[in-house]
Amino acid sequence: MSFSYSSFFSCISLLLLLSPLVMKVNGINNNNDVNLEHDDVRAPKSDSCNNPFQLVKVKNWIDEKESNNIYSGMSARFGSSLPQKPDITLRTPALFSNPIHCCSTPLSKFSGSTALCVRGGCDFTTKAQFAQSAGATAILIINDTEDLFEMVCSNTSQPNISIPVVMIPNSAGQAFNKSLASRRKVEILLYAPPRPLIDFSVAFLWLMSVGTIVCASLWSDLTSPEQYDERYKELCHKESSNAETAKYDSDKEIVNIDTRGAIVFVISGSVFLLLLYFFMSSWFIWVLIVLFCIAGIEGMHNCIVSLTLRKSQNWSQKVVNVPWSGEVSIYSLVVLLFCVAFAIFWAAKRQESYSWVGQDTLGICLMITVLQLAQLPNIKVATALLSCAFVYDIFWVFISPLIFNESVMIAVARGDKAGGEAIPMLLKFPRLFDPWGGYDMIGFGDILFPGLLVSFAHRFDKDKKKGVSNGYFLWLVIGYGFGLIITYLGLYLMNGNGQPALLYLVPCTLGLIIILGYIRGELKSLWNYGTEDSSSSIEEPCDV
């Protein structure tokens, strides 16, 4: 079964248009299906209402037995702060207020208990004041959805609250209500472990990103058929060898990107982004998942077959007739069935904690194959493509909130209108040392766009017979790795708010090759590479 790049291109085109959409979710993490994102900078403050928001863990015990469910919450702008460790805080009984909205004096005292109230009816500060006056040690406000709302003070309130005020999702409130309604004793302990400034998952994600670009650039060197022995190197290839080589080369259909295509590509991406923003739904996410699986299957199949057949071409000689496909290599068919089973298993288990392994495997194979399919002919086209992507990235992350009141890129990437399920075109790695869990992520676009330029540098170095130090490939790999480091540094300095990675990656790759080319006096050659007549000689056939 030969790999068809033309059929692959039609499937992957949509994914490429959407891949830049998910580059900005590095700072957005979910735990127990609760949106834990908060904006401590933009949320309103006042002199008496300026506490930083804390992410809160709500441990609970039912009839003296510790529950396996630890719920998530978020503290308010007012009230006392919570300790970072559970062993320095108290475990207190939980009671529902009467009236349940806590907007008037409770009919019974809380007497050292945690008050449970539902959202609505009055200001958050009013609820906290009534609960505190009734003797509550803390107040948990149950939201009417699974998201956590940023509780701030009203314009007229001057709160004097000395107890913790925490919002919890609706599911947690329903669980407490069920236990209390069955006359079971519920106890609660609140604490707020901080998120680490840097998690080591970033290092693994960095290695995956850089490694994918390096592997894709060197793939043809790694997977090309092994050379014939010395006797055949000295002679011309026989007709059968020429036929085999021609067949091998014909399978490698290359799509060269031109300047017009680069501009149209980015404009089309903007149109798709707006359509997703206004019309995204859960069924559309499923369409993207199916497309991702199809493209991932072809990419994974291509990677496995091309690697394994490098050592032994004999594996592909046994064939079988398949309807609508004709003769197909048995080995290739077995690999294809394995890839299909792998993709189906990932799609079925994509909500599990280990699903990131399957998604990353499919994604890396997909990107390696794409970087074999699409190539930049020269720096002129690279400048057009990466400059447009640079502007596209910045506009839809930083400027779109001025028009749409929120970042269109981040809203689509987060899946706000699709039940919170994100589109799958990204690599992710779990935050291993973060008590709140979640993932660090990088979109395919952050790898593919710079990867096209790095792959071009490798081809240019090979054609010009450049060494490691005086070539461009190694320096662009270093530049890309450095750009990723700056991207994550910007992410942390901006308190986890999504970053347009191409803002940093384009100057560190495109800018670097232009500067190096100018210094070395080779910028014209890089700019016009491939447009002039090739100086390479063509080997003449000889008699054998």
Side-chain angles (χ1 to χ4, degrees), residues 40-53 75-80 123-126 128-129 150-161 165:
D40 201 36
V41 177
R42 297 184 182 180
K45 294 181 181 180
S46 63
D47 293 339
S48 58
C49 187
N50 58 3
N51 289 353
F53 295 117
S75 66
R77 274 279 189 233
F78 51 90
S80 63
D123 295 337
F124 295 118
T125 53
T126 302
Q129 286 170 343
E150 295 168 339
M151 296 182 290
V152 298
C153 303
S154 62
N155 295 330
T156 58
S157 62
Q158 296 292 329
N160 184 21
I161 309 298
V165 182

PDB file of all heavy atoms in Angstrom, residues 40-53 75-80 123-126 128-129 150-161 165:
ATOM      1  N   ASP A  40      -6.551  37.740  37.791  1.00  0.00           N
ATOM      2  CA  ASP A  40      -6.346  38.512  39.008  1.00  0.00           C
ATOM      3  C   ASP A  40      -5.979  39.959  38.716  1.00  0.00           C
ATOM      4  O   ASP A  40      -6.046  40.808  39.584  1.00  0.00           O
ATOM      5  CB  ASP A  40      -5.236  37.868  39.851  1.00  0.00           C
ATOM      6  CG  ASP A  40      -5.314  38.274  41.312  1.00  0.00           C
ATOM      7  OD1 ASP A  40      -6.439  38.418  41.809  1.00  0.00           O
ATOM      8  OD2 ASP A  40      -4.250  38.461  41.929  1.00  0.00           O
ATOM      9  N   VAL A  41      -5.583  40.238  37.475  1.00  0.00           N
ATOM     10  CA  VAL A  41      -5.146  41.590  37.137  1.00  0.00           C
ATOM     11  C   VAL A  41      -6.327  42.463  36.748  1.00  0.00           C
ATOM     12  O   VAL A  41      -6.459  43.609  37.214  1.00  0.00           O
ATOM     13  CB  VAL A  41      -4.108  41.537  35.997  1.00  0.00           C
ATOM     14  CG1 VAL A  41      -3.698  42.942  35.578  1.00  0.00           C
ATOM     15  CG2 VAL A  41      -2.883  40.741  36.428  1.00  0.00           C
ATOM     16  N   ARG A  42      -7.221  41.955  35.903  1.00  0.00           N
ATOM     17  CA  ARG A  42      -8.306  42.774  35.360  1.00  0.00           C
ATOM     18  C   ARG A  42      -9.530  42.834  36.253  1.00  0.00           C
ATOM     19  O   ARG A  42     -10.340  43.740  36.120  1.00  0.00           O
ATOM     20  CB  ARG A  42      -8.710  42.235  33.984  1.00  0.00           C
ATOM     21  CG  ARG A  42      -7.588  42.324  32.944  1.00  0.00           C
ATOM     22  CD  ARG A  42      -8.069  41.867  31.585  1.00  0.00           C
ATOM     23  NE  ARG A  42      -7.008  41.910  30.591  1.00  0.00           N
ATOM     24  CZ  ARG A  42      -7.153  41.566  29.321  1.00  0.00           C
ATOM     25  NH1 ARG A  42      -8.334  41.133  28.893  1.00  0.00           N
ATOM     26  NH2 ARG A  42      -6.133  41.628  28.486  1.00  0.00           N
ATOM     27  N   ALA A  43      -9.710  41.870  37.151  1.00  0.00           N
ATOM     28  CA  ALA A  43     -10.886  41.880  38.005  1.00  0.00           C
ATOM     29  C   ALA A  43     -10.863  43.108  38.910  1.00  0.00           C
ATOM     30  O   ALA A  43      -9.810  43.515  39.398  1.00  0.00           O
ATOM     31  CB  ALA A  43     -10.934  40.605  38.848  1.00  0.00           C
ATOM     32  N   PRO A  44     -12.020  43.743  39.162  1.00  0.00           N
ATOM     33  CA  PRO A  44     -12.069  44.991  39.933  1.00  0.00           C
ATOM     34  C   PRO A  44     -11.496  44.838  41.343  1.00  0.00           C
ATOM     35  O   PRO A  44     -11.631  43.803  41.989  1.00  0.00           O
ATOM     36  CB  PRO A  44     -13.567  45.308  39.970  1.00  0.00           C
ATOM     37  CG  PRO A  44     -14.158  44.571  38.821  1.00  0.00           C
ATOM     38  CD  PRO A  44     -13.333  43.335  38.657  1.00  0.00           C
ATOM     39  N   LYS A  45     -10.854  45.912  41.805  1.00  0.00           N
ATOM     40  CA  LYS A  45     -10.310  45.986  43.160  1.00  0.00           C
ATOM     41  C   LYS A  45     -10.718  47.311  43.792  1.00  0.00           C
ATOM     42  O   LYS A  45     -11.097  48.260  43.110  1.00  0.00           O
ATOM     43  CB  LYS A  45      -8.780  45.884  43.146  1.00  0.00           C
ATOM     44  CG  LYS A  45      -8.203  44.572  42.696  1.00  0.00           C
ATOM     45  CD  LYS A  45      -6.684  44.624  42.768  1.00  0.00           C
ATOM     46  CE  LYS A  45      -6.047  43.328  42.288  1.00  0.00           C
ATOM     47  NZ  LYS A  45      -4.563  43.372  42.355  1.00  0.00           N
ATOM     48  N   SER A  46     -10.640  47.348  45.131  1.00  0.00           N
ATOM     49  CA  SER A  46     -10.808  48.599  45.875  1.00  0.00           C
ATOM     50  C   SER A  46      -9.919  48.513  47.100  1.00  0.00           C
ATOM     51  O   SER A  46      -9.315  47.473  47.386  1.00  0.00           O
ATOM     52  CB  SER A  46     -12.277  48.817  46.266  1.00  0.00           C
ATOM     53  OG  SER A  46     -12.717  47.785  47.137  1.00  0.00           O
ATOM     54  N   ASP A  47      -9.829  49.601  47.854  1.00  0.00           N
ATOM     55  CA  ASP A  47      -8.938  49.624  49.012  1.00  0.00           C
ATOM     56  C   ASP A  47      -9.298  48.558  50.040  1.00  0.00           C
ATOM     57  O   ASP A  47      -8.424  47.965  50.675  1.00  0.00           O
ATOM     58  CB  ASP A  47      -8.979  51.012  49.668  1.00  0.00           C
ATOM     59  CG  ASP A  47      -8.369  52.084  48.780  1.00  0.00           C
ATOM     60  OD1 ASP A  47      -7.589  51.711  47.888  1.00  0.00           O
ATOM     61  OD2 ASP A  47      -8.704  53.274  48.963  1.00  0.00           O
ATOM     62  N   SER A  48     -10.587  48.299  50.217  1.00  0.00           N
ATOM     63  CA  SER A  48     -11.030  47.319  51.211  1.00  0.00           C
ATOM     64  C   SER A  48     -11.410  45.982  50.587  1.00  0.00           C
ATOM     65  O   SER A  48     -11.939  45.113  51.270  1.00  0.00           O
ATOM     66  CB  SER A  48     -12.238  47.883  51.988  1.00  0.00           C
ATOM     67  OG  SER A  48     -13.297  48.196  51.092  1.00  0.00           O
ATOM     68  N   CYS A  49     -11.147  45.834  49.292  1.00  0.00           N
ATOM     69  CA  CYS A  49     -11.545  44.606  48.591  1.00  0.00           C
ATOM     70  C   CYS A  49     -10.485  44.310  47.529  1.00  0.00           C
ATOM     71  O   CYS A  49     -10.717  44.494  46.337  1.00  0.00           O
ATOM     72  CB  CYS A  49     -12.922  44.806  47.957  1.00  0.00           C
ATOM     73  SG  CYS A  49     -13.642  43.313  47.228  1.00  0.00           S
ATOM     74  N   ASN A  50      -9.322  43.872  47.988  1.00  0.00           N
ATOM     75  CA  ASN A  50      -8.205  43.704  47.062  1.00  0.00           C
ATOM     76  C   ASN A  50      -7.433  42.408  47.279  1.00  0.00           C
ATOM     77  O   ASN A  50      -6.252  42.326  46.947  1.00  0.00           O
ATOM     78  CB  ASN A  50      -7.257  44.897  47.174  1.00  0.00           C
ATOM     79  CG  ASN A  50      -6.722  45.074  48.585  1.00  0.00           C
ATOM     80  OD1 ASN A  50      -7.011  44.270  49.476  1.00  0.00           O
ATOM     81  ND2 ASN A  50      -5.956  46.126  48.808  1.00  0.00           N
ATOM     82  N   ASN A  51      -8.076  41.390  47.857  1.00  0.00           N
ATOM     83  CA  ASN A  51      -7.391  40.113  48.034  1.00  0.00           C
ATOM     84  C   ASN A  51      -7.092  39.465  46.683  1.00  0.00           C
ATOM     85  O   ASN A  51      -7.899  39.551  45.760  1.00  0.00           O
ATOM     86  CB  ASN A  51      -8.256  39.140  48.846  1.00  0.00           C
ATOM     87  CG  ASN A  51      -8.367  39.534  50.296  1.00  0.00           C
ATOM     88  OD1 ASN A  51      -7.705  40.458  50.742  1.00  0.00           O
ATOM     89  ND2 ASN A  51      -9.219  38.834  51.027  1.00  0.00           N
ATOM     90  N   PRO A  52      -5.958  38.808  46.547  1.00  0.00           N
ATOM     91  CA  PRO A  52      -5.732  38.012  45.326  1.00  0.00           C
ATOM     92  C   PRO A  52      -6.624  36.779  45.346  1.00  0.00           C
ATOM     93  O   PRO A  52      -6.909  36.210  46.404  1.00  0.00           O
ATOM     94  CB  PRO A  52      -4.256  37.632  45.416  1.00  0.00           C
ATOM     95  CG  PRO A  52      -3.950  37.666  46.875  1.00  0.00           C
ATOM     96  CD  PRO A  52      -4.806  38.756  47.460  1.00  0.00           C
ATOM     97  N   PHE A  53      -7.092  36.382  44.171  1.00  0.00           N
ATOM     98  CA  PHE A  53      -7.893  35.161  44.095  1.00  0.00           C
ATOM     99  C   PHE A  53      -7.010  33.950  44.375  1.00  0.00           C
ATOM    100  O   PHE A  53      -5.889  33.861  43.901  1.00  0.00           O
ATOM    101  CB  PHE A  53      -8.525  35.024  42.705  1.00  0.00           C
ATOM    102  CG  PHE A  53      -9.526  36.098  42.387  1.00  0.00           C
ATOM    103  CD1 PHE A  53      -9.300  36.983  41.338  1.00  0.00           C
ATOM    104  CD2 PHE A  53     -10.684  36.230  43.127  1.00  0.00           C
ATOM    105  CE1 PHE A  53     -10.204  37.964  41.029  1.00  0.00           C
ATOM    106  CE2 PHE A  53     -11.605  37.221  42.824  1.00  0.00           C
ATOM    107  CZ  PHE A  53     -11.364  38.089  41.774  1.00  0.00           C
ATOM    108  N   SER A  75     -11.431  31.580  45.972  1.00  0.00           N
ATOM    109  CA  SER A  75     -11.725  32.553  47.014  1.00  0.00           C
ATOM    110  C   SER A  75     -12.153  33.884  46.412  1.00  0.00           C
ATOM    111  O   SER A  75     -12.004  34.123  45.211  1.00  0.00           O
ATOM    112  CB  SER A  75     -10.500  32.754  47.904  1.00  0.00           C
ATOM    113  OG  SER A  75      -9.452  33.364  47.171  1.00  0.00           O
ATOM    114  N   ALA A  76     -12.657  34.781  47.261  1.00  0.00           N
ATOM    115  CA  ALA A  76     -13.182  36.073  46.828  1.00  0.00           C
ATOM    116  C   ALA A  76     -12.143  37.171  47.013  1.00  0.00           C
ATOM    117  O   ALA A  76     -11.071  36.962  47.598  1.00  0.00           O
ATOM    118  CB  ALA A  76     -14.449  36.400  47.611  1.00  0.00           C
ATOM    119  N   ARG A  77     -12.477  38.355  46.509  1.00  0.00           N
ATOM    120  CA  ARG A  77     -11.627  39.524  46.698  1.00  0.00           C
ATOM    121  C   ARG A  77     -11.593  39.974  48.168  1.00  0.00           C
ATOM    122  O   ARG A  77     -10.684  40.678  48.579  1.00  0.00           O
ATOM    123  CB  ARG A  77     -12.153  40.686  45.861  1.00  0.00           C
ATOM    124  CG  ARG A  77     -11.653  40.704  44.432  1.00  0.00           C
ATOM    125  CD  ARG A  77     -10.286  41.309  44.370  1.00  0.00           C
ATOM    126  NE  ARG A  77      -9.852  41.538  42.985  1.00  0.00           N
ATOM    127  CZ  ARG A  77      -8.728  41.109  42.491  1.00  0.00           C
ATOM    128  NH1 ARG A  77      -7.906  40.373  43.242  1.00  0.00           N
ATOM    129  NH2 ARG A  77      -8.390  41.383  41.257  1.00  0.00           N
ATOM    130  N   PHE A  78     -12.569  39.534  48.930  1.00  0.00           N
ATOM    131  CA  PHE A  78     -12.695  39.954  50.326  1.00  0.00           C
ATOM    132  C   PHE A  78     -12.641  38.728  51.231  1.00  0.00           C
ATOM    133  O   PHE A  78     -12.652  37.587  50.753  1.00  0.00           O
ATOM    134  CB  PHE A  78     -14.006  40.716  50.540  1.00  0.00           C
ATOM    135  CG  PHE A  78     -15.209  39.988  50.004  1.00  0.00           C
ATOM    136  CD1 PHE A  78     -15.929  39.102  50.796  1.00  0.00           C
ATOM    137  CD2 PHE A  78     -15.615  40.168  48.687  1.00  0.00           C
ATOM    138  CE1 PHE A  78     -17.014  38.423  50.301  1.00  0.00           C
ATOM    139  CE2 PHE A  78     -16.719  39.483  48.183  1.00  0.00           C
ATOM    140  CZ  PHE A  78     -17.416  38.612  48.983  1.00  0.00           C
ATOM    141  N   GLY A  79     -12.589  38.953  52.534  1.00  0.00           N
ATOM    142  CA  GLY A  79     -12.502  37.845  53.480  1.00  0.00           C
ATOM    143  C   GLY A  79     -11.058  37.494  53.784  1.00  0.00           C
ATOM    144  O   GLY A  79     -10.116  38.077  53.249  1.00  0.00           O
ATOM    145  N   SER A  80     -10.871  36.522  54.673  1.00  0.00           N
ATOM    146  CA  SER A  80      -9.521  36.121  55.076  1.00  0.00           C
ATOM    147  C   SER A  80      -8.929  35.141  54.079  1.00  0.00           C
ATOM    148  O   SER A  80      -9.649  34.438  53.365  1.00  0.00           O
ATOM    149  CB  SER A  80      -9.552  35.492  56.467  1.00  0.00           C
ATOM    150  OG  SER A  80     -10.334  34.315  56.457  1.00  0.00           O
ATOM    151  N   ASP A 123     -25.840  40.541  47.015  1.00  0.00           N
ATOM    152  CA  ASP A 123     -24.403  40.615  46.781  1.00  0.00           C
ATOM    153  C   ASP A 123     -23.669  39.520  47.558  1.00  0.00           C
ATOM    154  O   ASP A 123     -24.132  39.050  48.607  1.00  0.00           O
ATOM    155  CB  ASP A 123     -23.850  41.981  47.206  1.00  0.00           C
ATOM    156  CG  ASP A 123     -24.401  43.109  46.365  1.00  0.00           C
ATOM    157  OD1 ASP A 123     -24.823  42.836  45.238  1.00  0.00           O
ATOM    158  OD2 ASP A 123     -24.417  44.260  46.847  1.00  0.00           O
ATOM    159  N   PHE A 124     -22.482  39.170  47.055  1.00  0.00           N
ATOM    160  CA  PHE A 124     -21.648  38.188  47.757  1.00  0.00           C
ATOM    161  C   PHE A 124     -21.243  38.700  49.141  1.00  0.00           C
ATOM    162  O   PHE A 124     -21.177  37.932  50.102  1.00  0.00           O
ATOM    163  CB  PHE A 124     -20.397  37.884  46.928  1.00  0.00           C
ATOM    164  CG  PHE A 124     -20.689  37.210  45.620  1.00  0.00           C
ATOM    165  CD1 PHE A 124     -20.351  37.817  44.426  1.00  0.00           C
ATOM    166  CD2 PHE A 124     -21.314  35.970  45.577  1.00  0.00           C
ATOM    167  CE1 PHE A 124     -20.613  37.201  43.216  1.00  0.00           C
ATOM    168  CE2 PHE A 124     -21.581  35.347  44.371  1.00  0.00           C
ATOM    169  CZ  PHE A 124     -21.230  35.964  43.177  1.00  0.00           C
ATOM    170  N   THR A 125     -20.959  39.985  49.240  1.00  0.00           N
ATOM    171  CA  THR A 125     -20.560  40.541  50.543  1.00  0.00           C
ATOM    172  C   THR A 125     -21.699  40.460  51.547  1.00  0.00           C
ATOM    173  O   THR A 125     -21.468  40.225  52.737  1.00  0.00           O
ATOM    174  CB  THR A 125     -20.101  42.001  50.369  1.00  0.00           C
ATOM    175  OG1 THR A 125     -21.119  42.745  49.689  1.00  0.00           O
ATOM    176  CG2 THR A 125     -18.816  42.079  49.576  1.00  0.00           C
ATOM    177  N   THR A 126     -22.938  40.651  51.087  1.00  0.00           N
ATOM    178  CA  THR A 126     -24.103  40.549  51.981  1.00  0.00           C
ATOM    179  C   THR A 126     -24.234  39.128  52.524  1.00  0.00           C
ATOM    180  O   THR A 126     -24.478  38.920  53.721  1.00  0.00           O
ATOM    181  CB  THR A 126     -25.380  40.958  51.236  1.00  0.00           C
ATOM    182  OG1 THR A 126     -25.248  42.291  50.744  1.00  0.00           O
ATOM    183  CG2 THR A 126     -26.596  40.874  52.154  1.00  0.00           C
ATOM    184  N   ALA A 128     -21.850  36.954  52.919  1.00  0.00           N
ATOM    185  CA  ALA A 128     -20.758  36.697  53.854  1.00  0.00           C
ATOM    186  C   ALA A 128     -21.005  37.379  55.194  1.00  0.00           C
ATOM    187  O   ALA A 128     -20.703  36.814  56.259  1.00  0.00           O
ATOM    188  CB  ALA A 128     -19.444  37.167  53.253  1.00  0.00           C
ATOM    189  N   GLN A 129     -21.562  38.581  55.182  1.00  0.00           N
ATOM    190  CA  GLN A 129     -21.814  39.301  56.437  1.00  0.00           C
ATOM    191  C   GLN A 129     -22.861  38.597  57.284  1.00  0.00           C
ATOM    192  O   GLN A 129     -22.717  38.475  58.508  1.00  0.00           O
ATOM    193  CB  GLN A 129     -22.242  40.736  56.121  1.00  0.00           C
ATOM    194  CG  GLN A 129     -21.090  41.619  55.648  1.00  0.00           C
ATOM    195  CD  GLN A 129     -21.551  42.953  55.105  1.00  0.00           C
ATOM    196  OE1 GLN A 129     -22.723  43.133  54.774  1.00  0.00           O
ATOM    197  NE2 GLN A 129     -20.623  43.893  54.988  1.00  0.00           N
ATOM    198  N   GLU A 150     -15.589  34.987  39.572  1.00  0.00           N
ATOM    199  CA  GLU A 150     -14.716  35.863  40.359  1.00  0.00           C
ATOM    200  C   GLU A 150     -15.578  36.764  41.245  1.00  0.00           C
ATOM    201  O   GLU A 150     -16.254  37.674  40.769  1.00  0.00           O
ATOM    202  CB  GLU A 150     -13.839  36.699  39.420  1.00  0.00           C
ATOM    203  CG  GLU A 150     -12.858  35.851  38.618  1.00  0.00           C
ATOM    204  CD  GLU A 150     -12.191  36.622  37.502  1.00  0.00           C
ATOM    205  OE1 GLU A 150     -12.753  37.660  37.086  1.00  0.00           O
ATOM    206  OE2 GLU A 150     -11.115  36.206  37.044  1.00  0.00           O
ATOM    207  N   MET A 151     -15.568  36.502  42.528  1.00  0.00           N
ATOM    208  CA  MET A 151     -16.405  37.259  43.465  1.00  0.00           C
ATOM    209  C   MET A 151     -15.695  38.531  43.894  1.00  0.00           C
ATOM    210  O   MET A 151     -14.624  38.491  44.515  1.00  0.00           O
ATOM    211  CB  MET A 151     -16.738  36.392  44.686  1.00  0.00           C
ATOM    212  CG  MET A 151     -17.575  35.174  44.366  1.00  0.00           C
ATOM    213  SD  MET A 151     -18.017  34.207  45.829  1.00  0.00           S
ATOM    214  CE  MET A 151     -16.422  33.524  46.263  1.00  0.00           C
ATOM    215  N   VAL A 152     -16.280  39.673  43.537  1.00  0.00           N
ATOM    216  CA  VAL A 152     -15.722  40.980  43.876  1.00  0.00           C
ATOM    217  C   VAL A 152     -16.757  41.762  44.670  1.00  0.00           C
ATOM    218  O   VAL A 152     -17.898  41.330  44.838  1.00  0.00           O
ATOM    219  CB  VAL A 152     -15.315  41.753  42.605  1.00  0.00           C
ATOM    220  CG1 VAL A 152     -14.235  41.001  41.838  1.00  0.00           C
ATOM    221  CG2 VAL A 152     -16.518  41.993  41.706  1.00  0.00           C
ATOM    222  N   CYS A 153     -16.363  42.929  45.169  1.00  0.00           N
ATOM    223  CA  CYS A 153     -17.272  43.769  45.943  1.00  0.00           C
ATOM    224  C   CYS A 153     -18.097  44.653  45.022  1.00  0.00           C
ATOM    225  O   CYS A 153     -17.647  45.022  43.930  1.00  0.00           O
ATOM    226  CB  CYS A 153     -16.484  44.654  46.912  1.00  0.00           C
ATOM    227  SG  CYS A 153     -15.428  43.724  48.052  1.00  0.00           S
ATOM    228  N   SER A 154     -19.292  45.001  45.465  1.00  0.00           N
ATOM    229  CA  SER A 154     -20.109  45.956  44.720  1.00  0.00           C
ATOM    230  C   SER A 154     -19.532  47.356  44.890  1.00  0.00           C
ATOM    231  O   SER A 154     -18.676  47.604  45.746  1.00  0.00           O
ATOM    232  CB  SER A 154     -21.557  45.913  45.202  1.00  0.00           C
ATOM    233  OG  SER A 154     -21.629  46.289  46.569  1.00  0.00           O
ATOM    234  N   ASN A 155     -19.997  48.284  44.083  1.00  0.00           N
ATOM    235  CA  ASN A 155     -19.450  49.641  44.114  1.00  0.00           C
ATOM    236  C   ASN A 155     -19.708  50.348  45.430  1.00  0.00           C
ATOM    237  O   ASN A 155     -18.961  51.237  45.838  1.00  0.00           O
ATOM    238  CB  ASN A 155     -20.047  50.471  42.967  1.00  0.00           C
ATOM    239  CG  ASN A 155     -19.624  49.942  41.605  1.00  0.00           C
ATOM    240  OD1 ASN A 155     -18.545  49.380  41.472  1.00  0.00           O
ATOM    241  ND2 ASN A 155     -20.487  50.117  40.600  1.00  0.00           N
ATOM    242  N   THR A 156     -20.776  49.980  46.123  1.00  0.00           N
ATOM    243  CA  THR A 156     -21.157  50.694  47.353  1.00  0.00           C
ATOM    244  C   THR A 156     -20.740  49.968  48.623  1.00  0.00           C
ATOM    245  O   THR A 156     -20.797  50.557  49.708  1.00  0.00           O
ATOM    246  CB  THR A 156     -22.684  50.890  47.380  1.00  0.00           C
ATOM    247  OG1 THR A 156     -23.327  49.611  47.308  1.00  0.00           O
ATOM    248  CG2 THR A 156     -23.130  51.740  46.187  1.00  0.00           C
ATOM    249  N   SER A 157     -20.316  48.701  48.517  1.00  0.00           N
ATOM    250  CA  SER A 157     -20.039  47.935  49.731  1.00  0.00           C
ATOM    251  C   SER A 157     -18.634  48.194  50.264  1.00  0.00           C
ATOM    252  O   SER A 157     -17.695  48.380  49.489  1.00  0.00           O
ATOM    253  CB  SER A 157     -20.214  46.434  49.452  1.00  0.00           C
ATOM    254  OG  SER A 157     -19.292  46.015  48.469  1.00  0.00           O
ATOM    255  N   GLN A 158     -18.509  48.250  51.566  1.00  0.00           N
ATOM    256  CA  GLN A 158     -17.221  48.339  52.267  1.00  0.00           C
ATOM    257  C   GLN A 158     -17.171  47.158  53.238  1.00  0.00           C
ATOM    258  O   GLN A 158     -17.464  47.297  54.416  1.00  0.00           O
ATOM    259  CB  GLN A 158     -17.111  49.673  53.019  1.00  0.00           C
ATOM    260  CG  GLN A 158     -17.099  50.901  52.127  1.00  0.00           C
ATOM    261  CD  GLN A 158     -15.840  50.985  51.290  1.00  0.00           C
ATOM    262  OE1 GLN A 158     -14.780  50.530  51.705  1.00  0.00           O
ATOM    263  NE2 GLN A 158     -15.954  51.556  50.092  1.00  0.00           N
ATOM    264  N   PRO A 159     -16.817  45.983  52.744  1.00  0.00           N
ATOM    265  CA  PRO A 159     -16.960  44.776  53.560  1.00  0.00           C
ATOM    266  C   PRO A 159     -15.986  44.728  54.727  1.00  0.00           C
ATOM    267  O   PRO A 159     -14.860  45.191  54.638  1.00  0.00           O
ATOM    268  CB  PRO A 159     -16.668  43.657  52.562  1.00  0.00           C
ATOM    269  CG  PRO A 159     -15.767  44.288  51.556  1.00  0.00           C
ATOM    270  CD  PRO A 159     -16.229  45.696  51.427  1.00  0.00           C
ATOM    271  N   ASN A 160     -16.476  44.157  55.805  1.00  0.00           N
ATOM    272  CA  ASN A 160     -15.641  43.895  56.981  1.00  0.00           C
ATOM    273  C   ASN A 160     -15.761  42.407  57.289  1.00  0.00           C
ATOM    274  O   ASN A 160     -16.340  42.005  58.296  1.00  0.00           O
ATOM    275  CB  ASN A 160     -16.081  44.761  58.160  1.00  0.00           C
ATOM    276  CG  ASN A 160     -15.177  44.572  59.365  1.00  0.00           C
ATOM    277  OD1 ASN A 160     -14.039  44.124  59.239  1.00  0.00           O
ATOM    278  ND2 ASN A 160     -15.694  44.900  60.537  1.00  0.00           N
ATOM    279  N   ILE A 161     -15.214  41.614  56.386  1.00  0.00           N
ATOM    280  CA  ILE A 161     -15.359  40.162  56.459  1.00  0.00           C
ATOM    281  C   ILE A 161     -14.050  39.562  56.927  1.00  0.00           C
ATOM    282  O   ILE A 161     -12.990  39.832  56.347  1.00  0.00           O
ATOM    283  CB  ILE A 161     -15.742  39.573  55.083  1.00  0.00           C
ATOM    284  CG1 ILE A 161     -16.936  40.308  54.484  1.00  0.00           C
ATOM    285  CG2 ILE A 161     -16.027  38.091  55.198  1.00  0.00           C
ATOM    286  CD1 ILE A 161     -18.183  40.212  55.303  1.00  0.00           C
ATOM    287  N   VAL A 165     -14.191  33.239  52.175  1.00  0.00           N
ATOM    288  CA  VAL A 165     -15.357  33.184  51.288  1.00  0.00           C
ATOM    289  C   VAL A 165     -14.926  32.480  50.008  1.00  0.00           C
ATOM    290  O   VAL A 165     -14.029  32.948  49.300  1.00  0.00           O
ATOM    291  CB  VAL A 165     -15.889  34.592  50.975  1.00  0.00           C
ATOM    292  CG1 VAL A 165     -17.128  34.507  50.089  1.00  0.00           C
ATOM    293  CG2 VAL A 165     -16.199  35.350  52.258  1.00  0.00           C
TER     294      VAL A 165
END
